[in-house]
Amino acid sequence: MVAESVSVGQPQATSPGLLRRVEAVVFLTVFLDLVGFGIVIPMLPFYVQSMGGSARMVGILLGCFSLTQLLATPLLGRYSDRHGRRAVILLSLLANAVAMVLFALASYEKMLPLLFASRILAGATSGNISACQAAIADVTTKQTRAKAMGRIGAGIGLGMVLGPTLGGVFSGLGPWVPPLLAGGLALVGFVGALVAMPETHPPEARVQAKSQTRWSALQDSPRRKALGMVLVLFFAVFLSMTTLQVAFALVVQARLDWGSKEVGYTFAVVGGLGLIIQGGLIGPLARRVGEFRLLIIGALLLAAGMGGLAVSQHAPPMMAAVVLVGVGMGFVQPLISSLASQVAAPTQQGAVLGLAQSCGGLARTVGPVATGWMYASLGTQTPFLTGMASALAAAGLGVLLSRESLEEKSR
């Protein structure tokens, strides 16, 4: 199929049909990514324990995923600026399928090294989120971007609902079944994107992008100070989120005697909240409340939820804290991506969003290892208190960004 393209710098001219196609394929891509991710995260501590690993090993395994994601994301973002978004999306879906097959083999054979290989490959190609966000930025205006980024968040939310649910339900058939199912879904997504994905980044924009270095997106940004704060914001937000991914399964196993099924359903609740908020509420709320205020509110809710997880000893307060975390994440995730795209030059959308995702990847690299160490060495409360502090820092950065924006408008 010959891919369509849109005019550089002219998102307002994008036809509604093209916009819907781009949103649909991007939604499918991130949804399938998060199905695989959602299957893995709730069950990963139990997989590692079954293979003789410890809490520290869980953190190291997640850190390997995030390290390769950290290294690959800016490269994939820059590649999408030079060669188009479509190629990156297709490559990532195909590699995700291979990674899930490796994960299934590792689960079947009880081979921890193969499990590491699976997560490293998945991390290296999961950086496609920057290409997906750049494709959305290519075909939207500043006024419609938060809502469109919310569509990406909805795909993430739905994947985080279905993934943990599949993991919990189908793990009874064998630990290899859920990842194999996720691999099959990724192949379906690859075929769908191959047929339906238009190219949103035209050749003239790619020519301009070829002269850029990896860090030129930051150096050449017309709003370097705001971009710097957005990058730190990404780090703070994702550092808080990794706490839930690593420590939650361990703490509820210790405090409530929960297993993989209960943990999977809890992560599905978090994903469901993200789906509801990012799939329909984020656009109207951003217009009514304002993106900066909503970002600050979301970060404060995330902080409150992390504090609740630190002290809860029973299921009802634990689930109330999970709800706060889910709502906070639902607000924050699409807004930080929208802000990153707004401080980028039109020819650097992929590079800037890739750089921002790399800052999130750095947090996901450092965070799991630190969380596993804190949980084992400093007590079960410490990781969640650290996550609360990171969320509060994100709220503070939201305030600073709001002031920076006001200063920019007054000039």
Side-chain angles (χ1 to χ4, degrees):
M1 175 178 177
V2 178
E4 299 178 37
S5 65
V6 296
S7 299
V8 64
Q10 300 294 329
Q12 68 274 17
T14 302
S15 69
L18 178 59
L19 177 57
R20 284 194 294 269
R21 284 179 58 193
V22 172
E23 286 186 340
V25 176
V26 166
F27 176 92
L28 180 66
T29 301
V30 296
F31 163 69
L32 292 171
D33 280 348
L34 269 294
V35 167
F37 189 73
I39 283 175
V40 169
I41 292 301
M43 303 174 67
L44 194 59
F46 305 105
Y47 278 115
V48 172
Q49 287 174 351
S50 72
M51 299 176 192
S54 64
R56 289 186 179 90
M57 187 63 68
V58 175
I60 293 171
L61 184 60
L62 282 169
C64 285
F65 172 92
S66 299
L67 177 61
T68 53
Q69 185 183 53
L70 166 67
L71 297 174
T73 296
L75 297 178
L76 291 175
R78 187 179 173 198
Y79 186 91
S80 79
D81 282 338
R82 290 186 171 189
H83 303 287
R85 321 304 187 194
R86 188 172 183 267
V88 173
I89 291 173
L90 290 171
L91 174 65
S92 66
L93 285 166
L94 189 60
N96 187 27
V98 174
M100 286 295 102
V101 171
L102 290 176
F103 190 99
L105 287 173
S107 305
Y108 184 77
E109 299 290 344
K110 303 293 184 184
M111 294 176 61
L112 195 58
L114 196 57
L115 189 62
F116 270 87
S118 166
R119 302 322 299 147
I120 288 170
L121 176 60
T125 55
S126 65
N128 67 74
I129 186 67
S130 61
C132 291
Q133 291 170 337
I136 291 294
D138 288 339
V139 296
T140 56
T141 65
K142 181 178 178 180
Q143 291 72 27
T144 60
R145 195 160 297 155
K147 180 180 178 181
M149 290 295 182
R151 295 285 189 268
I152 296 180
I156 291 172
L158 185 59
M160 285 300 293
V161 172
L162 186 59
T165 302
L166 288 174
V169 171
F170 287 96
S171 60
L173 301 177
W176 53 272
V177 175
L180 198 61
L181 180 60
L185 289 172
L187 278 178
V188 171
F190 171 80
V191 174
L194 185 65
V195 172
M197 180 65 186
E199 180 53 69
T200 64
H201 199 52
E204 57 267 29
R206 297 178 216 169
V207 171
Q208 295 178 47
K210 287 184 179 180
S211 63
Q212 299 167 6
T213 65
R214 180 171 177 173
W215 294 101
S216 65
L218 178 59
Q219 296 169 348
D220 300 338
S221 172
R223 299 187 61 191
R224 191 184 303 180
K225 181 179 178 181
L227 177 56
M229 286 192 285
V230 168
L231 297 180
V232 178
L233 179 62
F234 263 79
F235 181 85
V237 167
F238 282 99
L239 187 64
S240 182
M241 290 179 184
T242 56
T243 302
L244 187 73
Q245 296 166 0
V246 178
F248 182 77
L250 299 171
V251 79
V252 295
Q253 184 184 42
R255 295 179 187 175
L256 306 176
D257 196 29
W258 283 6
S260 59
K261 183 175 291 188
E262 293 85 356
V263 172
Y265 290 156
T266 302
F267 274 80
V269 169
V270 174
L273 290 168
L275 174 62
I276 292 169
I277 292 169
Q278 299 178 44
L281 297 180
I282 192 69
L285 284 173
R287 287 193 299 271
R288 180 179 293 272
V289 180
E291 290 191 18
F292 292 110
R293 288 180 183 174
L294 198 57
L295 172 65
I296 295 165
I297 291 170
L300 291 175
L301 289 173
L302 179 59
M306 287 293 170
L309 291 173
V311 299
S312 297
Q313 299 293 328
H314 303 286
M318 186 75 73
M319 288 307 299
V322 166
V323 168
L324 289 174
V325 169
V327 173
M329 288 169 56
F331 286 156
V332 168
Q333 282 184 302
L335 292 173
I336 58 177
S337 298
S338 176
L339 292 175
S341 71
Q342 290 176 31
V343 296
T347 59
Q348 295 179 322
Q349 294 285 349
V352 167
L353 288 163
L355 192 59
Q357 289 295 331
S358 285
C359 290
L362 179 60
R364 290 192 297 267
T365 301
V366 175
V369 178
T371 297
W373 176 81
M374 285 188 289
Y375 186 92
S377 303
L378 303 178
T380 60
Q381 292 183 334
T382 309
F384 297 107
L385 293 175
T386 303
M388 181 177 70
S390 297
L392 289 173
L397 285 166
V399 173
L400 293 176
L401 276 166
S402 177
R403 293 176 179 173
E404 174 72 13
S405 178
L406 291 174
E407 290 174 3
E408 183 72 19
K409 289 178 181 179
S410 67
R411 292 172 186 168

